[in-house]
Amino acid sequence: MEPDPDIQTVPKGFRCKLCDVNIPNEPSLEAHMKGKKHQHLCRLRAKRKAQEENSVYVSGFKPDTSTSELAEYFQQFGPVAEVIVDKERSLYAIVEFAESASTEATLAQLQHCLDGLKLRVKPRERKEFKLASKEKHDRTKPHISLEKLNHELCLTSSVNEQMQKMVEIFQLSENDSKARQLVVQLLQEVLVEFLPDCQIVPFGSSVNTFGSHSCDLDLVLDLENTKAFQNRTRKSEQMGENQSEDGQSEDSILSDIDLATASPAELLELVAAILRKCTPGVHKVQTVSSARLPVVKFSHRQLSLQGDITINNRLAVRNTRFLQLCSGLDSRVRPLVYSVRFWAKQKQIAGNPSGGGPLLNNYALTLLVLFYLQTVSPPVLPSVEQLKNMACEEEECVIDGWDCTFPSQPISVPPSKNTDDLCTLLFGFFTYYSKFDFPGSVVSLRAGCTLPITEFLSRDDETPDTAESSDAARQKTTVRPKLGPVNILDPFELHHNVAGNITERTHKNLRREFCEAEKYCRSLQYQRKSSKGKSWGLVKLFTPRVEGVSSSQDAIEKIPEIIIPFRAAILTQSFRTELSSAAETFRVVWFKKVCSILEVVFNDILKCTPSDQVEISQDQTKAKGDTEEEEVNNNQSLDSSSHQPTAHAGIKRPLSIEEGPSSSSSPQGKRMRLEPSADYPEVAHWNWTQTHPVWAGRRKIRRVLLKTSDETSKPEGGCSSIESRVTQYIIENDSNPKDKLDFQLDALVVGSDECTKAVLKFKETSDPTGHFQDFFHFLDSFLPKMVETLLAKSE
Ligand code: UTP
């Protein structure tokens, strides 16, 4: 194979120069090269190359020459795709043609003249493709190298000092703040020309005291006063006057749009047009309407700043004030937030580079730190509800129906009695979240404690009609936050899960990093400065995560164990309601459902038979006659099994309660019941036999069967009837059905002090032909998806 010029062999594996990452081994390298990021950059590089080849560099024109004049002139050589003029001084332009032949024709002409001036036209400079744009967009990228940072941190004498140093190094400098103020002022001056009385208000990290050198400038364009202005003007126009009472006339832009009825997308396009055409220094203006809150993104060339403008987002301005307040309440808040943010960035669990993405956003991460400080004993920070009670009447604040009241000044809040130092608090932060049941609970800064997930399962998910609902009514309307693997309620907008974007994968990484950090913080290497010049304290904690390297936690997961995570979001409403009424025993109810589904999967879909011959007889006959009708019956048995798993053969008994007083035999005397009131951990146990290689060639058989049926294509494990047919096909075509594999399965439910999940432990009990690994490998990807599919249908 030809060596790839992007890949370099380095002592610890490989380096992809294109993506700027280290890769530890060949399998990871292969995965990396097929991965989205690498493929995207390859395409981007090819596109840039084509653009360079199709472009010429032009200079020598008059400074007031417009892009359209240049385009018109160069049109004679072929269609012009784009003309970019150096905005500051109009000294040069890049003219990009749609085809490379036009470039050649342009360069072949010896002389070019425009407006009586001789133009200089040359090939566009070819630049090596670098991840320059990523660097610019990398919002928390340190302005010092990691080596320099480590050096600075090692010079200190304690973790406490290191954490203070983090603030010193990363906080916004006076110049950073001034640059931001300048942009705010500039935008205010320009926008008010077109949108009278509007206000540009900064929020987010530029002003919340947690900002870093390269963070974005988040801005709200508040159009409430402009709306009022428009109303006044329209009224006075109707009365035959052409000026509003305050003497201002409605600008032409405002006469084109009705602010009261315009959609956010229309408003954003308007703002984007003003930025593009009338705001000096502003470029790369882009509207993103698909975001939860649509934004206009822009850059400021001279000040090297990137910004986002959202419209009327008053809640964000208010929650920024809340973060400022928390930061002012205790001097330990900022060092903790800066250290945690940097750690999370290094471990690739927070800080989505361009806004949206599957990682925690910095706001959510900051809320996790503040929440921990509310729950530590004694608390460092009060809950939002307590803060509300400390506010005076003038500080009352309700935005969009949400109570956002808290004191404006830290002085109104009594100081914390907690005396832990920073080093202890950071350790405590990792310990707290390494044992946290993210999927089974909801973080509430409002209450200052976790709320059971069951409180959010049975609610109505209709969004209140803002026009109709009064503020109080809206507060009371039971709007449901989008539940996911991580649930952090916004302190004010109580139906918004600020971590609603988190994927299972990020959640898994998050948990792993919390556990790793907790383990490291227990060591002396964290707590004490090394006398031998080795890295210590934060330095080791900030080691970047290397793509593809498995941690010790991953290694543990390699034992034959499969996890079925609790995912509230996929459950049917009726099952959610049932879980909700089970309150704190919801895990048992959910686990029993999982157990009954496991029986369906092993008995009916994968056609395993119970190992015990006495137990098998009846059910084996039943399994063999599997039809569509039976499939329905299976699902019905799931429905009716929510309080008591069906008594299929194979399930022997739940181990945890098998000797206990509450255990009772099923009518067949083969299994014990799971009692909802039983203590954790609940355990169930099965012995199965598989006589056919139901894992072998499944994907191919599925594809073939799908071609000859009316079923629409579903992923592996996405449809029980297809999977049953695939198994049936394998069994019918198995020429050697004697390769018997016996295995046992222990299932248990865990939660509360770790993530709610069912842990399935497999063990081969007889495997003469050595098939167990293949079977387990198949189950590892098939089973979670299959169980999820059946759970999602289960009433
Ligand atoms: P970010 O997550 O960008 O946080 O949200 P940040 O502190 O500005 O960090 P950088 O910019 O990544 O360094 C910016 C602001 O958006 C609002 C909050 O006001 C937050 O401070 N926000 C964000 C919400 O109101 N809700 C959300 O779910 C996310």
Side-chain angles (χ1 to χ4, degrees), residues 528-539:
R528 275 202 219 141
K529 183 177 170 105
S530 161
S531 54
K532 294 179 187 149
K534 288 190 181 161
S535 58
W536 61 281
L538 296 188
V539 174

Side-chain angles (χ1 to χ4, degrees), residues 139-140 180 203-208 210-212 214-218 292-293 308 310 313-321 323 337 341 350-353 355 360-367 488 490-491 493 496-501:
R139 294 190 286 174
T140 48
R180 280 152 212 275
F203 71 102
S205 52
S206 298
V207 281
N208 67 12
F210 302 120
S212 65
S214 48
C215 67
D216 277 3
L217 173 59
D218 292 310
R292 187 179 79 93
L293 291 174
D308 284 356
T310 43
N313 186 6
R314 290 181 163 192
L315 277 165
V317 176
R318 190 65 184 160
N319 64 38
T320 297
R321 283 287 307 129
L323 297 193
V337 171
R341 277 193 182 201
N352 296 302
L360 272 178
N361 58 53
N362 275 324
Y363 177 59
L365 184 67
T366 308
L367 291 184
I488 308 168
D490 186 272
E493 197 182 354
H496 174 43
N497 174 9
V498 300
N501 60 317

